[in-house]
Amino acid sequence: MNKDNETSIHEFDFNLICEYFSSIDRQGPGSESMTGKALSYVGELYADSRIADLGCGTGGQTVTIAKEVPGHIYALDLFPTFIDRLNARVVSNGLSERIDGIVGSMDALPFKEETFDLIWSEGAIYNIGFRKGLEYWRKFLKPGGIVCVSEASWLSESRPSEIEDFWMDAYPEIDTVEHKVRQMKEIGYDVITSFVIPENCWTEHFYKPQRKAQKIFLQNHQENPIASELVANMRHEAALYSKYSKYYGYVFYIGKKD
Ligand code: SAH
C-alpha cells in the first residue's frame, strides 16, 4: 500500500469515528447528576470566573456546567465536527454568552497561564495521559484553582487477565484510585475528593444510546468493513463492561492547585 492510500484510509476512518460519536449525546461515560456532584466540590464560582472544559466532545457536560454554576466556559476539542455540534447545542440552550467552543488540542492550549479558576475534563485526559495532562494544565490554573477530571481506574487490586489485557492495550496508564490520588499530590494538587461514577453512567447514558445509533450507522454504511469493525469494537467494549464492571470504572478526581 502506498502512503497516499494509507493517508486516505486513515482520514476515512477518522471521519467515520466522528460521525459515529457525534450521533450520540455523550462521547464517554457520565451523567448530568455526576457532573453536578463533582461541581459540588469545586467551591464558589462567580460571573467572572473562567472555566476550561477540555476534550468537551459535543458538549454534554459543558451545558450542565453552564446551567449549574456561573462563569465563562471555554470548551475545547480536537474535532471540528464535535465543536459544531457543541455550538448548535449552546445556541439551542440560549447559552451563547456563556460558552465559547474552540477547536484545539489539550496539549497546546491557546490560553494564558494562571488564568483559570476551574479546569474540567470528563473522560478525555487519557488522550494525553493523566500525569502529563495534570502537570501541563496546572500552569493554566490561578493559584488555588481547581482541576476536575474523570479517568478510567481500577477498582480492585487485581483483575482477570482478559480485562487487564484489554486496558493495557487501550490505556496502559489505567491504575488504582489510590495510585492516581498519590500522583495528583506529587504533581502539586491538594486532593479534595475522588469518587466512582455509578454503573448507569456507562450502561444507560453511554452504551444504551449507542445501540440505537449503531443500527442507523450500519444502515448508512452497508458493506463498509471499517464501519462494521468500529461497531464491533464498541459492542465488544460494552460486553466487557457488563462482564467486568466491578473491576474498573470512571473516577472523578478533584484537586486544588497548591
Ligand atoms: N467530555 C466528553 C467527551 C469525552 S470523549 C464527554 O464526556 O462526553 C474524549 C474527547 O476528547 C473526544 O471528544 C475527542 O475528540 C477529544 N480529544 C481527543 N484528543 C484530544 C486532544 N488532543 N485535544 C482535545 N481534545 C481531544
Side-chain angles (χ1 to χ4, degrees), residues 18 21 25-30 53-62 76-79 82 89 104-109 120-128 150 206 250:
C18 273
F21 281 103
D25 277 347
R26 323 187 47 96
Q27 289 71 48
D53 181 7
L54 306 179
C56 59
T58 61
Q61 73 290 310
T62 322
L76 175 138
D77 201 278
L78 194 58
F79 291 164
F82 291 170
R89 218 168 182 167
S105 187
M106 56 173 79
D107 59 359
L109 295 177
W120 198 271
S121 183
E122 283 194 38
I125 195 171
Y126 73 87
N127 286 297
I128 57 169
S150 67
F206 187 49
Y250 258 78

